[in-house]
Each structure stands twice: as structure tokens, then as C-alpha cells.
Amino acid sequence: LRGHDGRWHDMYQMDPELTWLGPAGARAQAFVVKAGSLAFSVTVFSTCAMLCLLLLALRRRLVGGELGGPRLMKWLSFAFLVLLWFLYIGLSSWQSLAAGGGGGCAS
């Protein structure tokens, strides 16, 4: 902990979204994390998770199990899962940066 240096006051004391901390100008200092693009990120993650489960169900039906099978099927599954991972990281990053939450550390 670095202690109080005035940045919290400048950032959150007059913020209208933080009424639960008390009246503006007389708020107690608290740890504040705004949701920002969390809902979008959770939606993208949930969609990717459902697509993964769909892939496993298809593999079980076509190959007879989630693991193994023909070499081509293994590589296609691998590529699809990696694509989903990059899609999740890319879309979540894009949304966060587009919303103005650069994600950098303030110094």
C-alpha cells in the first residue's frame, strides 16, 4: 500500500455512479472497481464455452469419444479451440479498449 495520495479523491469523490459510498464530496475512501466491459466479456466467454461443448458433443457422435480419433479430426478440433481462444481474447480486448478502459497502470 502506498497510502492516500489524492488520486482516489480526484477519480471517485464526485462520480455519480458511486452513490452507495455516500454523498458526493464526503465519501469514505474505498476500493472501487467499475464493471466496464465485464458483461460483454462474460457473453463472449459463455458463447465460446457453449461452442466448445458443442464440439465435444459432435466429436462424441462422429468419432465415438472426445479424445482420439482420426488425425485430421484431432487437428481440426485443435484449430477450432485455438480460434475460439483468440476470438475471446481479441473481442474482449477490443471492447475494453473501445470503451476507453486502456487497462494500463496509473503511475
Side-chain angles (χ1 to χ4, degrees), residues 32-47:
V32 177
V33 177
K34 291 189 172 189
S37 58
L38 181 63
F40 180 81
S41 183
V42 169
T43 302
V44 172
F45 179 85
S46 298
T47 302

Side-chain angles (χ1 to χ4, degrees), residues 75-93:
W75 280 103
L76 289 175
S77 298
F78 162 76
F80 180 70
L81 293 172
V82 170
L83 173 75
L84 287 179
W85 182 72
F86 277 115
L87 183 74
Y88 170 71
I89 297 295
L91 287 175
S92 295
S93 299

Side-chain angles (χ1 to χ4, degrees), residues 1-80:
L1 295 175
R2 293 189 202 167
H4 181 65
D5 62 0
R7 285 187 293 171
W8 187 91
H9 185 275
D10 295 340
M11 291 175 67
Y12 301 114
Q13 197 56 251
M14 303 308 278
D15 192 334
E17 295 178 12
L18 302 176
T19 56
W20 56 273
L21 281 176
R27 294 181 177 157
Q29 190 166 345
F31 182 71
V32 177
V33 177
K34 291 189 172 189
S37 58
L38 181 63
F40 180 81
S41 183
V42 169
T43 302
V44 172
F45 179 85
S46 298
T47 302
C48 289
M50 295 303 282
L51 289 171
C52 286
L53 291 175
L54 180 65
L55 173 69
L56 291 177
L58 285 172
R59 282 188 56 83
R60 179 174 280 192
R61 183 172 292 259
L62 297 175
V63 181
E66 292 87 6
L67 300 175
R71 178 170 289 240
L72 178 63
M73 184 66 83
K74 288 190 275 190
W75 280 103
L76 289 175
S77 298
F78 162 76
F80 180 70

